[in-house]
Every structure is written in C-alpha cells, then in structure tokens.
C-alpha cells in the first residue's frame, strides 16, 4: 500500500560549509514532524546532486529541497531543469549568495518553514555552454580565483580563502584578454567579465546591480582595461559597495553572447566550469524556485 502522506526529496551535502550533518538531520526531523515522508540523498562527491535531482524528476514528490552551498544547488538545477517540480533551498554553504539574493533565511527552522510554505516562482536560468547557472558566470580573473581557492583553507576560514586566492592570482599574472561578441556581430575586447542572472556576487557584493532572477536577460559587466590596477580599482569599489563605471567597465543587458580567449577560465555559481570559447544565453521559466511569498527578491 502506498503511503498517503506527502513526500519530499531532500538532497544534501554533508560537508557544505565545513560540516552540515547535524543541520541536515535537524531539517529531516523538521519535515517529518510537519507530516512529510523524506527521501534523503546525502552527496558523497561532485556530481551526486545532479544525478539525484535528475532522478527526482520522475518521482512523486511535492518539493525537491536542496541543502548545501550554491555549488550543490547549481548541480541540482542542472539535473532538474527544465521542470515544474518546485525546488526549495536550505543554505548551508560558505557564501550562500542565493539565500541573500532571494531572501531565504539563514536560520535552519525558518528556511525549512519557507521550503514548505514559500511560493514556487518561475525564474530564468543562464546557460554557459551546455550547463545552466542561476546566479552568475565569471570569466577570467574571477574564475581563476575560484579554481585556485584552497578547499582546506575554505573549510577553516570561510570566505577569507577567496581573498587569499584573489591576491595570489593577481600576483601571478595580469588579467588575460578576451573577445566578447553579441548576436548582432558587434565585438569588443575585455580583460574579464561577470555575467549576472542575479544581482549579488560573492556574498552581499553587487556587480550586476540591475539583474533579476525572474527577468529573462543577462546583465554583463565587461572589464575593459588591461593590467592589474584597473582590476584592483574595480574590486575596491565593489568591496565598498560602490557601482562600477565606464571606462573601467562596460555594463549592459543581453540575452546571448559569445566569449573567446586563449586559456581563459570560466566559473558558474562559484564552481569551475572549463574555459573559453563559450556561448552564454538565458531561458525564461525553466525552474520553479520556492521563494518568500509575494516578495520574490529582496530589495
Ligand atoms: N559530499 C561531498 N564531498 C565533496 N564535495 C562535494 C560533496 N557534495 C557536493 N560536493 C561538491 O562540492 C562543491 C561545493 O559544495 P557546496 O556548494 O555544497 O558547499 P560549500 O563549498 O561549502 O559552499 P559554497 O558553494 O557556498 O562555497 C559543489 O560543487 C559540489 O559539487
């Protein structure tokens, strides 16, 4: 006989943010006490969340709940989308950009409550080659910082590990040139780019301030000047919460672009994703993300 209770699929990374085992167990209990049968998959390595989310597409689930960092969330999205199964998120990672962007509470009980009672909201997803991204793609310097960040240091000191990696990357070599081309054939040279589907970057910082998860467009920030100094100046402005400006950067919205560059790295949603050349685009409504009712995104 089938269980008449509602079933949740929970995909959780037990090593997110250092050690998330206890919090995952608490979340499981929360959902069970709320009357749900919980089908839990604990990830063991990169790739597991994607496979588990792909399998959940054909299951009889009320919700897919992903517990972990933005990297595990990205994997789950790549396994799930396009789908009408609502995806809720419990932020257990180091940086948790989505939680900040979308107003998902950091407190576990509140996040669990939202996972059950929040509004499934259609969001647009970015594409980097074949892979989907929810928050942002970073090309060049930023992706090298991600690639070089020490996991051991990240577990010990959290976000500070990214600052250490940024310094080492900057000392190593100046940003490499790349060519950005739009669909109408217009091209220009840059020295790094951030392609934002969302507004926030690396925490509460913002580079693509006008982006919106619900809007099917990509906000591009192209770093236009060669050398380390302009990049440092831009990093400082972002750190101080100031907007980036021409001529250091070019900011624009688009729905598709191509980037080319010799040995230039790419990251999506905070995890390495190969290198250029790569096409980037955006598709509306490929995912129903469970968000706070009536707010969508925080101001
Ligand atoms: N059990 C696991 N062991 C090792 N790596 C894992 C495991 N589960 C998932 N991963 C991979 O580790 C990467 C980072 O994990 P995740 O994003 O969940 O947490 P985090 O690194 O603490 O947080 P953040 O993404 O905010 O830095 C993900 O890309 C994921 O593919």
């Amino acid at each position: 006989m089938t269980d008449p209770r509602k079933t949740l699929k929970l995909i959780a990374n037990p090593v997110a943010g250092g050690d998330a085992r206890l919090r995952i167990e608490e979340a499981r209990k929360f959902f069970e006490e709320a009357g749900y049968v919980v089908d839990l998959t604990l990830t063991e390595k990169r790739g597991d969340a994607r496979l588990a989310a792909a399998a959940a597409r054909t299951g009889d689930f009320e919700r897919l709940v992903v517990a972990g960092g933005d990297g595990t969330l990205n994997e789950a999205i790549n396994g799930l989308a396009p789908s009408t199964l609502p995806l809720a998120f419990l932020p257990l990672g180091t940086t948790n950009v989505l939680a900040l962007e979308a107003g998902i509470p950091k407190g576990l009980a509140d996040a669990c409550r939202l996972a059950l009672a929040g509004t499934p909201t259609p969001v647009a997803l970015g594409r980097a080659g074949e892979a989907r991204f929810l928050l942002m793609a970073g090309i060049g310097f930023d992706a090298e910082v991600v690639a070089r960040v020490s996991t051991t240091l990240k577990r010990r000191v959290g976000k500070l590990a990214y600052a250490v990696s940024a310094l080492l990357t900057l000392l190593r070599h100046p940003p490499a040139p790349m060519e950005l081309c739009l669909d109408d054939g217009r091209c220009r040279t840059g020295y790094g780019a951030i392609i934002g589907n969302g507004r926030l970057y690396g925490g509460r910082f913002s580079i693509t301030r006008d982006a919106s998860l619900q809007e099917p467009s990509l906000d591009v920030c192209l770093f236009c000047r060669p050398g380390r100094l302009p990049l440092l100046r831009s990093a400082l402005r972002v750190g101080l919460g100031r907007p980036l400006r021409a001529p250091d950067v070019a900011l624009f919205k688009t729905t598709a672009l191509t980037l080319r560059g010799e040995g230039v790295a790419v990251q999506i949603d905070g995890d390495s994703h190969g290198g250029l050349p790569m096409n980037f685009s955006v598709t509306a409504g490929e995912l129903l993300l469970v968000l706070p009712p009536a707010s969508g995104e925080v101001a």
Side-chain angles (χ1 to χ4, degrees):
M1 215 172 91
T2 52
D3 193 320
R5 289 181 297 166
K6 294 172 178 175
T7 306
L8 275 187
K9 179 73 198 177
L10 175 59
I11 300 174
N13 175 2
V15 297
D19 187 355
R21 270 164 236 274
L22 274 179
R23 307 228 282 153
I24 293 166
E25 216 24 66
E26 276 173 45
R28 188 226 287 255
K29 274 202 198 116
F30 184 101
F31 295 134
E32 284 175 349
E33 280 166 16
Y36 285 83
V37 173
V38 179
D39 180 335
L40 172 66
T41 298
L42 287 177
T43 59
E44 290 176 8
K45 58 183 181 312
R46 195 169 186 166
D48 287 358
R50 181 187 177 127
L51 290 177
R57 302 183 79 198
T58 50
D60 189 16
F61 300 114
E62 281 284 304
R63 291 260 201 277
L64 165 60
V65 182
V66 177
D70 293 325
T72 297
L73 174 67
N74 175 280
E75 275 198 25
I77 286 171
N78 274 286
L80 180 68
S83 171
T84 53
L85 173 63
L87 185 155
F89 183 59
L90 308 180
L92 306 182
T94 315
T95 326
N96 300 310
V97 179
L98 175 69
L100 296 167
E101 173 99 22
I104 297 172
K106 189 97 203 316
L108 189 66
D110 286 342
C112 288
R113 223 165 275 129
L114 176 69
L116 298 181
T119 314
T121 310
V123 294
L125 292 177
R127 283 277 190 132
E130 292 302 307
R132 291 176 168 88
F133 63 93
L134 176 64
L135 299 164
M136 96 298 284
I139 298 98
F141 175 76
D142 153 80
E144 283 182 41
V145 171
V146 167
R148 285 215 185 92
V149 83
S150 147
T151 313
T152 323
L153 194 62
K154 193 164 103 175
R155 299 281 174 244
R156 279 211 196 129
V157 299
K159 282 183 253 182
L160 199 61
Y162 287 94
V164 173
S165 176
L167 205 64
L168 294 176
T169 305
L170 204 63
L171 289 174
R172 215 174 158 112
H173 51 76
M178 64 188 71
E179 186 187 46
L180 182 154
C181 295
L182 298 176
D183 270 5
D184 61 9
R186 278 183 299 154
C187 295
R188 66 181 294 178
T189 301
Y191 299 85
I194 300 293
I195 301 176
N197 190 39
R199 286 178 305 120
L200 297 187
Y201 173 87
R204 288 195 183 275
F205 306 116
S206 188
I207 293 176
T208 52
R209 294 174 158 231
D210 297 331
S212 156
L213 293 177
Q214 276 133 290
E215 195 183 275
S217 64
L218 297 171
D219 282 50
V220 181
C221 173
L222 180 69
F223 296 89
C224 300
R225 292 182 147 185
R228 294 176 171 96
L229 212 61
L231 195 67
L232 264 175
R233 198 162 47 227
S234 294
L236 200 66
R237 286 191 73 85
V238 172
L240 292 172
R242 304 219 176 112
L244 295 179
R245 286 196 303 236
D248 281 352
V249 302
L251 291 160
F252 57 91
K253 282 185 188 280
T254 185
T255 52
L257 67 153
T258 302
L259 280 160
R260 296 183 190 87
E262 191 72 35
V264 178
V266 178
Q267 64 91 2
I268 54 172
D269 291 343
D271 276 331
S272 292
H273 180 61
L276 299 184
M278 202 172 284
N279 296 322
F280 298 85
S281 60
V282 63
T283 311
E286 284 201 312
L287 180 73
L288 287 177
L289 198 59
V290 178
L291 296 177
S295 73
E297 293 166 57
V298 283

